[in-house]
Amino acid sequence: LASAQSKQNVPPGLPAFPVIGSAISLVSEYGDIPTHMREMYRGNYKKFMKAGQGVYTMGLPGLGDGLTSKVYVVSNPHEFLPVIQNEGKHPSGVLEALWPASERLKRRRDSNALFERGEAWKQERNVVQLNLLSPQIAKGYLPGIVEAARLASRGAAHSAHAFDEYAARVSFDLFNSAFFGRLAKTADLTRKDADPRDVKFCQDTLDGFEYLVPVVLSPLERLLVQGLNLSTKRFDAFCSKFDDAQDRCAEIVDDFIARKQRGELDEREMRSYVSKTLEWYEQEARDISFDQVKNIFFILLTAAVDTTSSIINWSMINLALNPDVQEKLRAEIQQHLQESDVASIILKRREEVPYLHAFIRETHRLTPSAPVNLLKNTNKALTIYGYEIPAGSKVLLDSYSMGNDAALVEQPEKFLPERFLPDMVEMRKGTAAEMIDHPLCSGPFSAGARKCPGSRVATFEAMAMIITLLNDWKIELNDPSVNTYEDVGTHYGAILQPKPMPKLKFSELR
């Protein structure tokens, strides 16, 4: 009886084997996982879930725990909340799973604390969020972000054939305006004053990230690289790209420091993230080396390029595929621009610019930058849907599949921002469908103690670019092979990017 009860308390799931986890089942059904990540989660959801209810297990090498790399997957954000609420003193996060990034830093003898857990992580995390996390500090970066977006928009038409590369440069420019207080001007390739080393940094970052998750999910590469201290062709390529990017970041930081010491920084540069963090380091830093601080700068700069560019890429695809949505959103933006500037629109309450917020939320529902943005360790044993989840287990929230379930979302295959307007959200309250409005499902930035500290700045950046591009250009597809978002290929490097990116067409509005 005890044995039968024990079996009843084990969730259903995919077969998982030592080292390789569920790779055989997943690859045989879906093919290359980094290319078919959305299809994998949707397929498993249909097998094991019903209207967002339930839990299942699978073995995900590089992400899961134990010999079979087990992860527990849930789709109901209410059921996932206890996982976050029981994170403990040293919480876990997605960065821990990115072992190739951690291993590269280790081999360079650089700090990899942000990719681990414990007091060293906590110490570096405090530095990261020091001049980034608070709403007031983020607002202070807005004027530079808006100006960088204005300059970047001018290059959209020139780069319509390779918009993903343009979006990476845009993201670099936007974050640079907050990070260093400088206008890098890499996005518009028609300009002559962009530093070619910055352009190369963006391309190296974009190329390097393509290798990340494929290597993470390879049990053979993990054995060779981490277990035997060897290397592989893909790991070497990943390291090469990020070594070059890290060296360029160090050049920018060293130049910034030299100019700061000579008193050559302008007012915006003096208010920048790097300047404020350097001042903190000189006055208050304890038990952290300057090399660690520079390493933190590099990690933030590369992460900013990838996540923001993905949001911009998918936003443009959705606008091009849905001209009616584009016109509605442009009308709302231009109505406000008659009386306000871009920064003021970004800071308006959700009810004042409802369609803009609904558009961003619908983009994340249908074409998320991170289909799974929450991966946590349980600090203690939990019970989810009657199943016992042991302490120390990896639990993953698949809000993407739940948000595309026809039992919860009407016409889930259609891009309809209207479903996230205030009256529709109000109508869902008290129904099973209201779980799609849960804060844990609203964006790609995780949650809890390891939520992305730059999430507010990244949101400002994406909004600034969407507003500016819509006000400057009519956006159309220039690719006859793409009729719906399902026609756009994907690749999961560190974040889900469209690949290949469809060719676009930008027609000037003024």
Side-chain angles (χ1 to χ4, degrees), residues 22 64 221 311 314 406-407 424:
S22 300
E221 289 186 87
I311 296 171
W314 288 115
M424 295 298 293

Side-chain angles (χ1 to χ4, degrees), residues 273-499:
Y273 174 89
V274 171
S275 180
K276 292 295 185 184
T277 303
L278 290 173
E279 290 168 10
W280 165 85
Y281 182 80
E282 291 170 1
Q283 298 167 12
E284 300 181 39
R286 301 289 184 274
D287 303 323
I288 188 168
S289 72
F290 188 62
D291 284 341
Q292 283 178 274
V293 174
K294 289 177 71 174
N295 197 49
I296 288 169
F297 290 162
F298 166 70
I299 292 170
L300 285 174
L301 193 56
T302 52
V305 168
D306 199 45
T307 305
T308 307
S309 69
S310 175
I311 296 171
I312 294 170
N313 283 332
W314 288 115
S315 295
M316 293 304 109
I317 289 171
N318 288 324
L319 288 169
L321 282 169
N322 300 277
D324 56 330
V325 170
Q326 184 175 159
E327 288 306 314
K328 289 179 185 177
L329 184 53
R330 181 179 292 112
E332 180 179 85
I333 287 168
Q334 291 185 339
Q335 178 185 356
H336 285 283
L337 283 175
Q338 293 175 9
E339 302 173 353
S340 306
D341 58 16
V342 174
S344 298
I345 293 174
I346 292 170
L347 294 176
K348 286 183 181 293
R349 297 190 305 274
R350 187 179 299 268
E351 56 268 27
E352 294 180 276
V353 278
Y355 207 75
L356 174 61
H357 286 274
F359 170 81
I360 292 171
R361 178 64 188 90
E362 177 71 347
T363 293
H364 179 67
R365 182 195 70 83
L366 193 65
T367 52
S369 300
V372 172
N373 69 321
L374 281 162
L375 177 67
K376 300 283 187 181
N377 265 66
T378 56
N379 189 49
K380 66 177 186 179
L382 298 172
T383 300
I384 300 179
Y385 288 112
Y387 296 113
E388 296 174 4
I389 313 297
S393 298
K394 279 277 196 320
V395 186
L396 177 156
L397 177 66
D398 173 19
S399 59
Y400 165 71
S401 300
M402 177 270 292
N404 284 271
D405 184 346
L408 299 171
V409 178
E410 187 176 353
Q411 296 181 299
E413 74 286 353
K414 292 188 179 298
F415 187 84
L416 298 171
E418 288 77 7
R419 69 175 93 246
F420 288 107
L421 291 175
D423 57 339
M424 295 298 293
V425 173
E426 187 66 29
M427 285 177 61
R428 283 192 291 271
K429 288 183 177 179
T431 72
E434 75 170 339
M435 72 174 73
I436 73 170
D437 303 310
H438 196 282
L440 293 183
C441 305
S442 64
F445 300 112
S446 189
R450 293 189 74 140
K451 181 177 180 177
C452 172
S455 59
R456 184 172 282 106
V457 172
T459 300
F460 286 173
E461 292 169 351
M463 292 175 77
M465 206 62 219
I466 291 167
I467 291 168
T468 306
L469 287 170
L470 269 174
N471 192 47
D472 290 348
W473 307 94
K474 178 182 179 182
I475 304 154
E476 299 172 281
L477 278 170
N478 193 20
D479 190 333
S481 67
V482 176
N483 295 299
T484 75
Y485 83 99
E486 291 280 18
D487 295 330
V488 180
T490 62
H491 180 77
Y492 209 119
I495 212 83
L496 195 69
Q497 294 277 14
K499 189 174 180 65

Side-chain angles (χ1 to χ4, degrees), residues 32 40 46 99 116 119 124 129 131 144-145 220 225 231 255 307 343 399 411 451 473 497 506:
D32 180 57
M40 180 193 79
K46 289 178 181 177
W99 64 262
E116 297 187 346
E119 288 303 314
E124 290 198 5
Q129 65 189 34
N131 293 292
I145 291 171
L220 176 60
V225 174
S231 196
D255 177 67
T307 305
S399 59
Q411 296 181 299
K451 181 177 180 177
W473 307 94
Q497 294 277 14
F506 289 84

Side-chain angles (χ1 to χ4, degrees), residues 136-200:
Q136 200 58 39
I137 287 175
K139 288 178 185 178
Y141 298 139
L142 253 181
I145 291 171
V146 170
E147 176 64 9
R150 184 185 68 82
L151 294 172
S153 178
R154 296 175 181 176
H158 181 78
S159 297
H161 64 290
F163 189 87
D164 53 341
E165 296 175 8
Y166 166 80
R169 298 193 303 274
V170 165
S171 302
F172 178 81
D173 289 359
L174 296 173
F175 195 64
N176 257 266
S177 70
F179 205 54
F180 294 106
R182 70 176 185 137
L183 297 172
K185 305 173 186 175
T186 68
D188 184 358
L189 293 181
T190 64
R191 297 183 67 98
K192 305 301 181 185
D193 52 351
D195 192 321
R197 295 174 299 175
D198 289 345
V199 177
K200 185 177 183 297

